[in-house]
Amino acid sequence: MAIDRYSHLKRLEDESIHILREVVAEVSNPVMLYSIGKDSAVMLHLARKAFFPGRLPFPLLHVDTTWKFRDMIAFRDETARRIGAELIVHTNPDGLAQNINPFDHGSSFYTHIMKTEALKQALDKYGFDAAFGGARRDEEKSRAKERILSFRDANHGWDPKNQRPELWNLYNGRVRAGESIRAFPLSNWTELDIWQYILAEDIPIVPLYFAAERPVVERDGQLIMVDDDRFRLRPGEVPQNRRVRFRTLGCYPLTSAVDSDATTLADIVAEMLVVRTSERAGRLIDHDEAGSMEKKKREGYF
Amino acid sequence: MTAAALKVAAPPSDALVDYLEAQERKGLLRFLTCGSVDDGKSTLIGRLLYDAKLLFEDQLATLERESRRIGTAGDDIDFALLVDGLEAEREQGITIDVAYRFFATSARKFIVADTPGHEQYTRNMVTGASTADLAILLVDARHGIRAQTRRHAFLASLLGVRHLVLAINKIDLVDYSAVRFREIAAEFEAMAGKFRFESRVAIPISARFGDNVSSRSAAMPWYDGPTLIGHLETVPVDDDRAEKPFRFPVQWVNRPNLDFRGFSGTIASGTVRPGDRIAVAASGRTTTVARIVTADGDLAEARAGAAVTLTLADEVDISRGDVLAPATARPEVSDQVSATLVWMADQPLLPGRPYLLKIGGRTVTASVTAIKYRIDINSAFEHLAARDLKLNEIAVCNLALSGPIAFDAYEVNRATGAFILIDRLTNATVGAGTLSFGLRRATNIHWQALDVTKESRAAQKGQKPAVVCFTGLSGSGKSSIANIVERKLQAEGRHTMLLDGDNVRHGLNRDLGFTEVDRVENIRRVGEVARLFVEAGLIVLVSFISPFRAERRLARELAGDDTFIEVFVDTPVDVCRARDVKGLYARADAGLIRNFTGVDSPYEAPENPEIRLDTTAADPEKLADDLIALLRERGVLG
Ligand SMILES: Nc1nc2c(ncn2[C@@H]2O[C@H](COP(=O)(O)OP(=O)(O)O)[C@@H](O)[C@H]2O)c(=O)[nH]1
């Protein structure tokens, strides 16, 4: 099922390629944040198209919290090998030394140390002045106001009042030393667009998106997969095998599964068309309070 | 091959395929909503998302909870809460930035730019309008047309938005009155006729209760026009960009190996095929398109909007920023242009001050040489004289560029007639503009090549030319030190010239005052004069307050970085004030002198001067010697 040259998906693809090329042309040291999920898969696919027949003109960066699903890590390494990309993996060494984990420290503190701080460390360490991210404007309210090129000060802070107006398709990627740009080539894609594109272009994705029997526990109304023996069961909890899949992927103790029989991409799209909860509902981190994503962004979370 | 990829093999069901294909065929309409605060923009957008069944259960639950907690619609759902995204604005109850929303109906997909209506936010509206094909202008039926409405209609028209909808909202609050609706619609027609919209439609709606939004209102049997959604689904969106002449701004030169050299970019307008004869707009060189390369294989044709890579039949010098066009239908090329500017920064635009101008993939230095007139969007769009441009002001200007750009008039081609202006120090986007025409053809003007050069003139004098620029507050000691330095250099047999701020103001710059605008022009002229003296091979000493970094940077660029020496005469303002040799601080403090640097006009200290002279630590003779030592070190004194 190839995509039509004048279709909606083609329009989105063209726009994303334009953004990818523009940022690479304007900055001196770009990187792509590769978080292994479906959005990253699409973004990476688009980047390969943008610079074809050349190679990717930037490395991939994965911020590894050490709590990702094992399948994600295997998929990440296989992808980098398959396309011959340079892959940088960074874990916050301080967080690691102090054994910061989602069980003892709560999702929000853990995320701050192992994701937000870790990302800043990695960007500073390599001096990246632009980082591509796979965020979409339809994901969450505070994202709707995000620019395609989002400006971050030398502390990686995001000031909603200090963003550059973006007109036409003229993007301003200029930064001073220490400052950086987060660029979002998928800004105008919706979740349905992402799945349709994966289907049309046959893009490989992590098997966790497909339904299979997996060991889960039900906790506070959410299904959490027991991916390894670091999982701390509460008294009375016994992992049960259930046919589940994931709509969004992150750290396994913080990502909830849904009951599903979808074993093909077409099934996933079909299921998506009738679901009644938004994809972020599967990410426990956003539930803390209204506006929580905005707070995280101000602190430098992607 | 991964497990995931293998699974695609199972064929999707027919119903799903049909559905997906229908999705694919849908057209896209980008529109923006504008209106004054409280006219109901947020409520309308929330309503559109709600009616399009775009809300998930968890979002609805949050919405109901928040409506009860902070809503303004009584016991009903407050749709505005769906879209008022940022915490800061939710607390203040106003929308402060452009937000983009997505929804679809069975006929079309939509991207909505939600632009806030607060008076000072012209810049947001301009941003939203730059990519929109249609504008929904909301008015509150109780208030009718207001100054904002006219302003927004003007801006939409200026930015080339093709279709306009006047949504007369809160019609429930005027008892669904046909009379009131017609009155407002007529008043709008009388005013909107002046603007260039392809279509104009007025629709009576209630965003809160949904009347005439996606379904017809039973309360308004007298209304027989389309619903708002009905109109959005049918207004023509056919893209005429493909019919225009081919324009290809080169974004990136793709050169993975010696055998491949491609030019990547997005086709701004027109159509291209292998074999087409094309020209590089600026250089005039012509060649033929060899291939249209994409990751999905070569194409036989590509149209406006497509992101492709072209290879050419000949080795032609082309880099990022060049524009490729048919040899027979080329864009204008000029380094002096007439444009309409919208200013978006708190710091005013000053004529003469250099900014960066970005158009397509090309960035050049630009300065406004003349503000022809400012357009007063708060009254009857009168043309006013202006010396600078403040936040949200709009003016027709002449700009001089550091190099030629290829462009089309915005009216003719939106994709190649627009630019943004960037501040050179902060890198902020400070303005946006639409081009009208070139003031001269750059291709015909060349520098006169001269046989006697500044090097040969300087060599004759046994020195290297230089601009030694003293900057510091009034009374800091600039002139005293500059004087001593010149005396000493002359005693050494050097050829010098001293330009003193006060003296120049008696002659060359007699017509200039002390406003920011005049200060910029003052430095520009002095910079040009200094450059001529440098050409003559002289060591030029310039003693000026020169309070702004941007102008000192301009002076540096005029002189050339290697000949420019910035001397920061660093004396704290209280020391200058205590010295007050000329009695100026006393008069400024008493309000007798306006715009006095250090009192009611800012001084931006240099960040990286070549030398800093601390007058509180040493006497002027010693400081003069320090500076001369630096000149010797730099080879200025041969
Ligand atoms: N009665 C009535 N109230 C409305 C209507 N549309 C909006 N409102 C109310 O007007 C107020 C301002 O609306 P809001 O959407 O926040 O305006 P914005 O500032 O333009 O985004 C809110 O209290 C809304 O509930 C309408 O059609 N009828």
Coordinates of all heavy atoms in Angstrom, one line a residue, chain B residues 36-43 72-73 78 80 95 169-173 205-209, ligand 1:
Chain B
S36 N -11.7 39.6 19.4 CA -11.3 40.2 20.7 C -11.4 39.2 21.8 O -12.1 38.2 21.7 CB -12.2 41.4 21.0 OG -12.3 42.3 19.9
V37 N -10.8 39.5 22.9 CA -10.9 38.6 24.1 C -12.3 38.5 24.4 O -13.1 39.4 24.4 CB -10.1 39.3 25.3 CG1 -10.2 38.4 26.5 CG2 -8.7 39.6 24.9
D38 N -12.7 37.3 24.8 CA -14.1 37.0 25.2 C -15.1 36.9 24.1 O -16.3 36.7 24.4 CB -14.6 38.0 26.3 CG -14.0 37.6 27.7 OD1 -13.5 36.4 27.8 OD2 -14.2 38.3 28.6
D39 N -14.7 37.0 22.9 CA -15.7 36.9 21.8 C -16.1 35.4 21.7 O -17.1 35.1 21.1 CB -15.2 37.4 20.5 CG -15.2 38.9 20.4 OD1 -15.8 39.5 21.3 OD2 -14.6 39.5 19.5
G40 N -15.3 34.5 22.2 CA -15.7 33.1 22.2 C -14.8 32.2 21.3 O -15.3 31.1 20.9
K41 N -13.6 32.6 21.0 CA -12.7 31.8 20.1 C -12.5 30.5 20.8 O -12.6 29.4 20.1 CB -11.4 32.5 20.0 CG -11.3 33.6 18.9 CD -9.9 34.1 18.8 CE -9.3 34.4 20.1 NZ -10.0 35.3 21.0
S42 N -12.0 30.5 22.0 CA -11.7 29.2 22.6 C -12.9 28.3 22.7 O -12.8 27.1 22.4 CB -11.1 29.4 24.0 OG -10.1 30.4 24.0
T43 N -14.0 28.9 23.0 CA -15.3 28.1 23.1 C -15.6 27.5 21.8 O -16.0 26.3 21.7 CB -16.4 29.0 23.6 OG1 -16.0 29.7 24.8 CG2 -17.7 28.2 23.9
T72 N -16.3 28.9 33.3 CA -17.0 30.1 33.3 C -18.4 30.0 32.7 O -19.0 30.9 32.3 CB -16.3 31.2 32.5 OG1 -16.2 30.8 31.2 CG2 -14.9 31.5 33.1
A73 N -18.8 28.7 32.5 CA -20.1 28.5 31.8 C -21.1 27.9 32.7 O -21.9 27.0 32.3 CB -19.8 27.6 30.6
D78 N -17.4 23.9 29.9 CA -16.7 25.1 29.4 C -15.7 24.6 28.4 O -14.6 24.2 28.7 CB -16.0 25.9 30.6 CG -15.4 27.2 30.1 OD1 -15.4 27.4 28.8 OD2 -15.0 27.9 30.9
A80 N -13.9 26.2 26.4 CA -12.7 26.9 26.3 C -11.6 26.3 27.1 O -10.4 26.4 26.7 CB -12.9 28.4 26.8
T95 N -5.7 33.9 26.6 CA -4.8 33.1 25.7 C -3.7 33.9 25.2 O -3.9 35.0 24.7 CB -5.7 32.6 24.5 OG1 -7.0 32.5 24.9 CG2 -5.2 31.3 23.9
N169 N -21.1 35.6 16.8 CA -21.3 34.6 18.0 C -22.1 35.1 19.1 O -22.5 36.3 19.1 CB -19.9 34.3 18.5 CG -19.9 33.1 19.5 OD1 -20.7 32.2 19.4 ND2 -19.0 33.2 20.5
K170 N -22.5 34.2 20.0 CA -23.4 34.6 21.1 C -24.7 35.1 20.6 O -25.3 36.0 21.3 CB -22.7 35.6 22.1 CG -21.3 35.1 22.5 CD -20.8 35.9 23.7 CE -19.3 35.6 24.0 NZ -18.8 36.3 25.1
I171 N -25.1 34.6 19.5 CA -26.4 35.0 18.9 C -27.6 34.7 19.9 O -28.6 35.3 19.9 CB -26.6 34.4 17.5 CG1 -27.7 35.1 16.7 CG2 -26.9 32.9 17.6 CD1 -27.2 36.4 16.1
D172 N -27.3 33.7 20.8 CA -28.3 33.3 21.8 C -28.5 34.5 22.8 O -29.6 34.7 23.3 CB -27.9 32.1 22.6 CG -26.4 32.2 23.2 OD1 -25.5 32.4 22.4 OD2 -26.3 32.3 24.4
L173 N -27.5 35.3 22.9 CA -27.7 36.4 23.9 C -28.4 37.6 23.3 O -28.7 38.6 24.0 CB -26.3 36.9 24.4 CG -25.6 35.8 25.2 CD1 -24.2 36.3 25.7 CD2 -26.4 35.3 26.4
I205 N -23.9 32.3 14.9 CA -23.7 31.0 15.6 C -23.7 31.3 17.1 O -23.7 32.4 17.6 CB -22.3 30.4 15.3 CG1 -21.1 31.4 15.8 CG2 -22.1 30.1 13.9 CD1 -19.8 30.7 15.9
S206 N -23.9 30.1 17.8 CA -23.7 30.2 19.3 C -22.6 29.1 19.5 O -22.9 27.9 19.4 CB -24.9 29.9 20.1 OG -24.6 29.7 21.4
A207 N -21.4 29.5 19.9 CA -20.4 28.5 20.1 C -20.7 27.7 21.3 O -20.5 26.5 21.4 CB -19.0 29.2 20.3
R208 N -21.3 28.3 22.3 CA -21.6 27.6 23.5 C -22.6 26.5 23.4 O -22.5 25.4 23.9 CB -22.0 28.6 24.6 CG -22.3 28.0 25.9 CD -22.2 29.0 27.0 NE -22.9 28.5 28.2 CZ -23.2 29.2 29.2 NH1 -22.9 30.5 29.3 NH2 -23.8 28.6 30.3
F209 N -23.7 26.9 22.6 CA -24.8 25.9 22.5 C -24.8 25.1 21.2 O -25.6 24.2 21.0 CB -26.1 26.6 22.7 CG -26.2 27.2 24.1 CD1 -26.2 28.6 24.3 CD2 -26.3 26.4 25.2 CE1 -26.2 29.2 25.5 CE2 -26.3 27.0 26.5 CZ -26.3 28.3 26.7
Ligands
LIG1 N1 -24.0 32.7 25.8 C1 -22.9 32.5 25.1 N2 -21.8 32.6 25.7 C2 -20.6 32.3 25.0 C3 -20.7 31.9 23.6 N3 -19.4 31.7 23.2 C4 -18.6 31.9 24.3 N4 -19.4 32.3 25.3 C5 -18.8 32.6 26.7 O1 -18.0 33.8 26.5 C6 -16.9 33.8 27.4 C7 -15.6 33.9 26.7 O2 -15.4 32.9 25.8 P1 -13.9 32.4 25.4 O3 -14.2 31.3 24.4 O4 -13.1 32.2 26.6 O5 -13.4 33.7 24.6 P2 -12.0 34.0 23.9 O6 -11.3 34.9 24.8 O7 -12.3 34.6 22.6 O8 -11.3 32.6 23.7 C8 -17.0 32.4 28.2 O9 -17.6 32.6 29.4 C9 -17.9 31.6 27.3 O10 -18.6 30.6 28.0 C10 -22.0 31.8 23.0 O11 -22.1 31.5 21.8 N5 -23.1 32.1 23.8

